[in-house]
Amino acid sequence: MPAHLPALTTQADRLAALGLLPDDGPLDAAALRSAAAHLATHAPDGSLLVVHPRHLRPSTLAPHLTRSVRTRSGTVDREGFVVVDMADADEFAPTGLEEPLADVYAVVGPDRGEDLANWSPAEAAPELERRGRSPLTLAEGLHWVLQAPDALERNRCFMTIGSRLRKADGTFDTRTPALWISNGTGRDGSQRRGAAKVGWCWWGNRHTWLGFASAVSRVA
């Protein structure tokens, strides 16, 4: 299983160090650190710090999921990426869960749900509800891998079915966001082999190497 997450204040320091929050924005690094310190007073150890996607979009976070990859010429760092046929990743919204309205919140007890590998999203959603767990959103999954890179392991990756895209006619897009490691084939390109990848799977399909990330609760 993935390594224990660092303290919420340490997670805030990591996000601040990446320079993703503008100094003149509604949420700057100082406000982030203050929010993390407040959350640390009541969120359980091992919780995940999440900045609301109105401040940090999935497409902004993805390139920062850097992974060290061994190649014939040595070890290189490869950035994460969003697949070309999911350019609308930022439009996938929290669905079937209560996302805090706070700028910064904590996700309690994240788990990648590998015991549900080879279930379809359609099958896993009611099972997570039966267990009293809430599926992670795409943004939350990205924050998790950013803070704990080994949350993403080859053949042990996960879907984030807490995010779905509602179409103009009111029905849901059948794509389901997921995070896994690129094999560098097809449109990914060999230069992305080993990189963290934001992709998608069909709502009704099963995959032996994808679990379903979920949490116990969210704390603001």
Side-chain angles (χ1 to χ4, degrees), residues 36-71:
H38 170 70
L39 285 167
T41 65
H42 57 282
D45 290 345
S47 295
L48 171 68
L49 188 72
V50 175
V51 175
H52 197 283
R54 64 175 170 265
H55 298 294
L56 284 181
R57 298 176 297 176
S59 62
T60 300
L61 288 168
H64 295 278
L65 305 188
T66 305
R67 290 177 55 84
S68 294
V69 180
R70 291 182 180 178
T71 68

Coordinates of all heavy atoms in Angstrom, one line a residue, residues 36-71:
A36 N -3.9 24.8 6.3 CA -3.4 23.5 6.6 C -3.2 23.4 8.1 O -3.5 22.4 8.7 CB -2.1 23.2 5.9
A37 N -2.7 24.5 8.7 CA -2.4 24.4 10.2 C -3.8 24.3 10.9 O -3.8 23.6 12.0 CB -1.7 25.7 10.6
H38 N -4.8 25.0 10.4 CA -6.1 24.9 11.1 C -6.7 23.4 10.9 O -7.2 22.8 11.9 CB -7.1 25.9 10.4 CG -8.5 25.7 10.9 ND1 -9.0 25.9 12.1 CD2 -9.6 25.2 10.2 CE1 -10.2 25.6 12.2 NE2 -10.6 25.2 11.0
L39 N -6.6 22.9 9.7 CA -7.1 21.5 9.5 C -6.3 20.5 10.4 O -6.9 19.5 10.8 CB -6.9 21.1 8.0 CG -7.9 21.8 7.1 CD1 -7.4 21.6 5.6 CD2 -9.3 21.2 7.3
A40 N -5.0 20.7 10.6 CA -4.2 19.8 11.4 C -4.7 19.7 12.8 O -4.4 18.7 13.5 CB -2.8 20.2 11.4
T41 N -5.5 20.6 13.3 CA -6.1 20.6 14.7 C -7.2 19.6 14.8 O -7.5 19.2 16.0 CB -6.5 22.0 15.1 OG1 -7.7 22.4 14.3 CG2 -5.4 23.0 15.0
H42 N -7.8 19.2 13.7 CA -9.0 18.3 13.8 C -9.0 17.2 12.8 O -9.9 16.3 12.9 CB -10.3 19.1 13.8 CG -10.5 19.9 12.6 ND1 -9.9 21.2 12.5 CD2 -11.3 19.8 11.6 CE1 -10.3 21.7 11.3 NE2 -11.1 20.9 10.8
A43 N -8.2 17.2 11.8 CA -8.2 16.1 10.8 C -7.3 15.0 11.3 O -6.2 15.3 11.8 CB -7.7 16.6 9.4
P44 N -7.6 13.8 11.1 CA -6.8 12.7 11.6 C -5.4 12.6 10.8 O -5.3 13.1 9.7 CB -7.6 11.4 11.2 CG -9.0 11.9 11.0 CD -8.9 13.3 10.5
D45 N -4.5 12.1 11.5 CA -3.2 11.8 10.9 C -3.4 11.0 9.6 O -4.2 10.1 9.6 CB -2.2 11.1 11.8 CG -1.7 12.0 13.0 OD1 -1.9 13.2 12.9 OD2 -1.2 11.4 14.0
G46 N -2.5 11.3 8.6 CA -2.6 10.5 7.4 C -3.7 11.0 6.4 O -3.9 10.4 5.4
S47 N -4.2 12.2 6.7 CA -5.2 12.8 5.8 C -4.5 13.5 4.7 O -3.3 13.9 4.8 CB -6.1 13.9 6.6 OG -6.9 13.2 7.6
L48 N -5.2 13.7 3.6 CA -4.7 14.4 2.4 C -5.2 15.8 2.3 O -6.4 16.1 2.4 CB -5.2 13.6 1.2 CG -4.9 14.2 -0.2 CD1 -3.4 14.2 -0.5 CD2 -5.6 13.5 -1.3
L49 N -4.2 16.7 2.1 CA -4.6 18.1 1.9 C -5.0 18.4 0.4 O -4.3 18.0 -0.5 CB -3.4 19.0 2.2 CG -3.6 20.5 2.3 CD1 -4.5 20.9 3.5 CD2 -2.3 21.3 2.3
V50 N -6.1 19.0 0.2 CA -6.7 19.3 -1.1 C -7.0 20.7 -1.3 O -7.7 21.3 -0.4 CB -7.9 18.4 -1.4 CG1 -8.5 18.8 -2.8 CG2 -7.5 16.9 -1.4
V51 N -6.5 21.3 -2.3 CA -6.9 22.7 -2.7 C -8.1 22.6 -3.7 O -8.0 21.8 -4.7 CB -5.8 23.5 -3.3 CG1 -6.2 24.8 -3.8 CG2 -4.6 23.6 -2.4
H52 N -9.2 23.3 -3.4 CA -10.4 23.2 -4.3 C -10.0 23.5 -5.7 O -9.2 24.3 -6.0 CB -11.4 24.2 -3.8 CG -12.8 23.9 -4.3 ND1 -13.1 24.3 -5.6 CD2 -13.9 23.4 -3.8 CE1 -14.4 23.9 -5.8 NE2 -14.9 23.4 -4.7
P53 N -10.6 22.7 -6.7 CA -10.2 22.9 -8.1 C -10.5 24.2 -8.7 O -10.0 24.5 -9.8 CB -11.0 21.7 -8.8 CG -12.0 21.3 -7.8 CD -11.4 21.5 -6.5
R54 N -11.3 25.1 -8.0 CA -11.5 26.4 -8.5 C -10.2 27.2 -8.4 O -10.0 28.2 -9.1 CB -12.6 27.1 -7.8 CG -12.4 27.4 -6.3 CD -13.5 28.2 -5.7 NE -13.5 28.3 -4.3 CZ -14.1 27.5 -3.5 NH1 -14.9 26.5 -4.0 NH2 -14.0 27.5 -2.2
H55 N -9.2 26.7 -7.6 CA -7.9 27.4 -7.5 C -6.8 26.6 -8.2 O -5.9 27.2 -8.7 CB -7.6 27.5 -6.0 CG -8.5 28.4 -5.2 ND1 -8.6 29.7 -5.4 CD2 -9.3 28.1 -4.2 CE1 -9.5 30.2 -4.6 NE2 -10.0 29.3 -3.8
L56 N -6.9 25.2 -8.1 CA -5.9 24.4 -8.8 C -6.7 23.3 -9.6 O -7.2 22.3 -9.1 CB -5.1 23.7 -7.7 CG -4.0 24.5 -7.1 CD1 -3.2 23.6 -6.1 CD2 -3.0 25.1 -8.1
R57 N -6.7 23.5 -10.9 CA -7.4 22.6 -11.8 C -6.6 21.4 -12.0 O -5.4 21.4 -11.9 CB -7.7 23.3 -13.1 CG -8.6 24.6 -13.0 CD -8.7 25.3 -14.4 NE -7.4 25.7 -14.8 CZ -7.2 26.3 -16.0 NH1 -8.3 26.4 -16.9 NH2 -6.0 26.7 -16.4
P58 N -7.3 20.3 -12.3 CA -6.6 19.0 -12.7 C -5.5 19.2 -13.7 O -4.4 18.6 -13.6 CB -7.7 18.1 -13.1 CG -8.9 18.5 -12.3 CD -8.8 20.1 -12.3
S59 N -5.9 20.0 -14.8 CA -4.9 20.1 -15.9 C -3.6 20.9 -15.4 O -2.6 20.8 -16.0 CB -5.5 20.9 -17.0 OG -6.0 22.2 -16.7
T60 N -3.8 21.7 -14.3 CA -2.6 22.4 -13.8 C -1.8 21.5 -12.9 O -0.6 21.6 -12.9 CB -3.1 23.6 -12.9 OG1 -3.9 24.5 -13.7 CG2 -2.0 24.4 -12.3
L61 N -2.4 20.6 -12.2 CA -1.7 19.7 -11.3 C -1.0 18.6 -12.0 O 0.1 18.2 -11.6 CB -2.7 19.1 -10.3 CG -3.3 20.0 -9.2 CD1 -4.4 19.3 -8.5 CD2 -2.2 20.3 -8.2
A62 N -1.6 18.1 -13.1 CA -1.1 16.9 -13.8 C 0.4 17.0 -14.1 O 1.2 16.0 -13.9 CB -1.9 16.6 -15.0
P63 N 0.9 18.0 -14.7 CA 2.3 18.1 -15.1 C 3.3 18.0 -14.0 O 4.5 17.7 -14.2 CB 2.5 19.4 -15.8 CG 1.1 19.8 -16.3 CD 0.2 19.3 -15.2
H64 N 2.8 18.2 -12.7 CA 3.7 18.2 -11.6 C 3.8 16.8 -10.9 O 4.5 16.7 -9.9 CB 3.2 19.2 -10.6 CG 3.3 20.6 -11.1 ND1 4.5 21.4 -11.0 CD2 2.4 21.4 -11.7 CE1 4.3 22.5 -11.6 NE2 3.0 22.6 -12.0
L65 N 3.1 15.8 -11.5 CA 3.3 14.5 -11.0 C 4.5 13.8 -11.7 O 4.5 12.9 -12.5 CB 2.0 13.6 -11.4 CG 0.7 14.2 -10.9 CD1 -0.4 13.1 -11.2 CD2 0.7 14.6 -9.5
T66 N 5.7 14.4 -11.3 CA 6.9 13.9 -11.9 C 7.4 12.6 -11.4 O 7.3 12.3 -10.2 CB 8.0 15.0 -11.6 OG1 7.6 16.3 -12.0 CG2 9.3 14.6 -12.3
R67 N 7.8 11.7 -12.3 CA 8.3 10.4 -12.0 C 9.7 10.2 -12.6 O 9.9 10.6 -13.7 CB 7.3 9.3 -12.6 CG 6.0 9.2 -11.9 CD 5.1 8.2 -12.5 NE 5.7 6.9 -12.6 CZ 5.7 6.0 -11.6 NH1 5.1 6.3 -10.5 NH2 6.3 4.8 -11.7
S68 N 10.5 9.6 -11.8 CA 11.9 9.2 -12.3 C 11.8 7.9 -13.0 O 11.3 6.9 -12.5 CB 12.9 9.2 -11.1 OG 13.0 10.4 -10.5
V69 N 12.3 7.9 -14.3 CA 12.2 6.7 -15.1 C 13.6 6.3 -15.6 O 14.3 7.2 -16.1 CB 11.2 7.0 -16.3 CG1 11.1 5.8 -17.2 CG2 9.9 7.4 -15.8
R70 N 13.9 5.1 -15.5 CA 15.1 4.6 -16.1 C 15.0 4.3 -17.6 O 14.1 3.7 -18.1 CB 15.5 3.3 -15.4 CG 15.9 3.4 -13.9 CD 16.3 2.1 -13.3 NE 16.7 2.2 -11.9 CZ 17.1 1.2 -11.2 NH1 17.2 -0.1 -11.7 NH2 17.4 1.3 -9.9
T71 N 16.0 4.9 -18.3 CA 16.1 4.7 -19.7 C 17.5 4.1 -20.1 O 18.3 4.0 -19.2 CB 15.9 6.0 -20.5 OG1 17.0 6.9 -20.3 CG2 14.6 6.7 -20.0

